[in-house]
Amino acid sequence: MRLAVLCIGGALLAIAAPQASDEGTAPGCPLKLKSAGTCGDGDECPYQVTLPPLTIQLPKQFRLLEKTMRELQSLRETVNQLKRSCMACTSTRQRLDRYLQEGKGETLVQDQPEGAERRGDAPPAGSGMQEMQVKMSRMSNSLKNARGQITLLQGRVEELSVLNMGTVESIVDRKVENITGVINKLSSSCTSLCPQATAPQAANITFAARDCSDYSLLGQRKNGVYKVVPDPQNGIFEVYCEMESYGGGWTVVQQRLNGSVSFNRTWAEYKNGFGDLRGEFWLGNDHIHLLTKTRDVVLRIELEDFQGVREYAKYDEFYVANEFLRYKLSISGYSGTAGNALSYDKHFNHDQKFFSTPDKDNDMYPSGNCGAYYSSGWWFDACMSANLNGKYYHKRYKGVRNGIFWGTWHNMSSEYYPTSYRQAFKTVRMMIRPKNYAP
């Protein structure tokens, strides 16, 4: 520790001392002192001392120590200059004294034989003495000023001596003690908290499937309820997977089988989902949004009436926005046998329409709420050419067309008059799968 302090002091003194010649310079102690960045005059910047392989971050006061050493060197140079001036002054005074003594002797010798008249014949000696007296007066004043400056400089040096090597030593000792404590703490922590790594248990590994297609790619070929995580930030939920038809990997978002579940529901119920995943259900708008936002998916709609006619409609693009955007529907790319009822014509087009329910009117109909009139939640236009969430009828019916409806079904022309019977559907299913899925 003492050696480190002496190295620090030597490095600091080396900053203020004149630079020696490179020739014959022996390498110093393996210590590096440098500022952590460029510091101008008057700045207080942190210094760091490198004691290989240890680096100590010193306090900002070490910038003051460097300034102090520089001022001390400047004071030393000033004192040496004054000393040299005083020595020159002393030498000059000695020469003056010798000259005066020689001049007086010459005057006395000249005055004895010649008398008083001859005294006026020696003007050079008198003028020389006057000049010497003026010089002595000036030098005396210079000496007085020098004494005053030396006194002030001595006081300054005494003030600067407060930050001495003892203070530096104590600071470094405290820093080293702190570093030692941290190292000991880390060593004990690693000893107690870092046991030898063991192989992970297979039972603790949980596979997070994004949708039913991930299960299908892993070899699952059985229909049923599975857990999916389409977005890890929104948790896990259950879905019904169709694994046995049309290549498998389908995630079912809606299913109608027997009318056991009413679809005349509120906005909150359509948001969260309702029904039984193994029977009739609506998966929930929030869940449908998560399933369609993370992957590009296709939608397949399957319909069957009570006469046993089965048809389907497939859409290559299907997306449902979030609740802030009122679960806006984006759908396109039709193919199939049931007809494109979701984009029937410019007056009845469900693409880019908001979701409405009996208690929340977001449709395009200016004079009322389509959701309340048709007792269901759907992406109504003004009002519809399709509604798969309508009331479940077990046979054909008359009156308001509030049942399950697909406007391009093969016999819809017979329902032109309000008094005509309405088509009823036995089963309906909506299911999605990633567009790039390959069974």
Side-chain angles (χ1 to χ4, degrees):
M1 177 54 65
R2 300 296 181 182
L3 175 60
V5 172
L6 290 177
C7 290
I8 295 172
L12 293 175
L13 290 176
I15 295 174
Q19 300 295 324
S21 174
D22 293 339
E23 298 179 358
T25 302
C29 57
L31 176 144
K32 296 181 181 179
L33 174 66
K34 63 178 181 178
S35 61
T38 303
C39 303
D41 294 339
D43 294 340
E44 290 189 2
C45 59
Y47 273 69
Q48 69 179 19
V49 175
T50 301
L51 299 174
L54 177 65
T55 298
I56 303 174
Q57 190 73 26
L58 298 179
K60 294 183 178 179
Q61 287 76 7
F62 272 77
R63 175 67 174 172
L64 178 60
L65 179 59
E66 180 187 357
K67 294 182 180 178
T68 302
M69 291 301 178
R70 290 178 179 174
E71 291 182 3
L72 181 59
Q73 178 63 22
S74 177
L75 293 176
R76 287 180 178 174
E77 293 177 356
T78 303
V79 170
N80 292 334
Q81 184 178 2
L82 291 174
K83 286 182 179 180
R84 289 193 296 270
S85 299
C86 289
M87 292 175 65
C89 178
T90 302
S91 176
T92 303
R93 184 171 181 177
Q94 290 175 356
R95 289 197 303 271
L96 179 60
D97 290 341
R98 288 196 301 270
Y99 178 80
L100 289 175
Q101 291 176 0
E102 292 173 0
K104 286 182 179 180
E106 290 176 359
T107 302
L108 291 174
V109 172
Q110 293 174 358
D111 287 346
Q112 287 178 357
E114 298 296 334
E117 297 83 0
R118 300 292 303 270
R119 295 177 184 177
D121 296 333
S127 62
M129 290 182 63
Q130 290 179 357
E131 291 177 0
M132 291 297 179
Q133 287 176 354
V134 171
K135 290 181 178 180
M136 290 181 64
S137 177
R138 291 177 180 175
M139 290 182 179
S140 177
N141 292 332
S142 298
L143 288 173
K144 291 180 181 179
N145 294 333
R147 289 193 186 96
Q149 291 181 6
I150 291 173
T151 302
L152 293 175
L153 293 176
Q154 288 177 346
R156 179 62 176 166
V157 170
E158 291 177 357
E159 293 177 359
L160 296 176
S161 65
V162 175
L163 186 60
N164 52 25
M165 292 306 298
T167 305
V168 174
E169 181 178 350
S170 62
I171 293 174
V172 173
D173 287 341
R174 288 196 300 269
K175 290 292 183 181
V176 172
E177 290 176 359
N178 293 337
I179 294 172
T180 303
V182 172
I183 293 174
N184 294 334
K185 184 177 180 181
L186 290 175
S187 178
S188 61
S189 299
C190 186
T191 301
S192 58
L193 299 180
C194 300
Q196 185 177 1
T198 57
Q201 299 295 327
N204 295 331
I205 300 176
T206 302
F207 173 72
R210 290 170 292 179
D211 54 33
C212 296
S213 66
D214 287 345
Y215 286 109
S216 179
L217 293 175
L218 291 175
Q220 293 287 348
R221 294 292 183 268
K222 185 177 180 181
N223 295 343
V225 177
Y226 295 82
K227 293 181 178 181
V228 297
V229 187
D231 184 357
Q233 296 181 351
N234 291 275
I236 189 171
F237 57 91
E238 292 184 335
V239 297
Y240 185 86
C241 296
E242 171 57 61
M243 299 294 198
E244 301 174 3
S245 303
Y246 314 109
W250 294 98
T251 302
V252 182
V253 299
Q254 186 252 38
Q255 186 165 256
R256 312 295 298 274
L257 298 174
N258 51 26
S260 59
V261 175
S262 172
F263 276 63
N264 187 5
R265 302 287 185 134
T266 64
W267 177 269
E269 289 174 305
Y270 271 100
K271 165 186 168 69
N272 299 316
F274 54 85
D276 181 6
L277 290 176
R278 292 176 175 83
E280 293 196 328
F281 67 91
W282 177 258
L283 186 59
N285 289 338
D286 280 347
H287 294 159
I288 298 174
H289 164 67
L290 294 176
L291 289 167
T292 59
K293 85 165 187 175
T294 55
R295 312 176 82 170
D296 294 334
V297 300
V298 298
L299 170 68
R300 181 181 176 92
I301 299 174
E302 296 180 341
L303 305 102
E304 180 185 3
D305 61 19
F306 284 94
Q307 286 74 42
V309 178
R310 294 182 180 181
E311 294 181 351
Y312 77 96
K314 184 180 177 182
Y315 294 88
D316 290 336
E317 294 184 7
F318 175 70
Y319 171 71
V320 175
N322 58 23
E323 184 178 17
F324 179 78
L325 297 176
R326 294 174 285 180
Y327 303 117
K328 184 178 180 180
L329 173 67
S330 297
I331 191 166
S332 62
Y334 166 79
S335 63
T337 60
N340 187 11
L342 289 176
S343 299
Y344 187 77
D345 57 26
K346 64 179 181 180
H347 300 292
F348 298 104
N349 187 353
H350 297 271
D351 180 38
Q352 304 301 314
K353 300 303 184 294
F354 301 114
F355 200 85
S356 295
T357 57
D359 63 334
K360 199 171 189 69
D361 184 8
N362 294 318
D363 58 51
M364 305 299 294
Y365 187 62
S367 302
N369 182 359
C370 297
Y373 186 76
Y374 292 108
S375 306
S376 60
W378 192 251
W379 296 280
F380 291 107
D381 190 354
C383 277
M384 65 175 187
S385 55
N387 177 17
L388 301 182
N389 289 340
K391 184 178 178 179
Y392 188 94
Y393 286 98
H394 293 270
K395 59 181 181 179
R396 295 167 63 90
Y397 66 97
K398 288 186 177 182
V400 177
R401 187 184 282 115
N402 61 350
I404 300 171
F405 178 64
W406 193 257
T408 54
W409 197 248
H410 67 93
N411 60 355
M412 279 298 149
S413 59
S414 62
E415 299 185 14
Y416 179 78
Y417 298 101
T419 57
S420 302
Y421 282 96
R422 311 297 186 187
Q423 177 66 48
F425 289 89
K426 182 179 180 181
T427 61
V428 176
R429 185 164 61 172
M430 300 173 62
M431 49 190 185
I432 59 176
R433 187 173 69 185
K435 184 182 297 186
N436 59 356
Y437 174 81

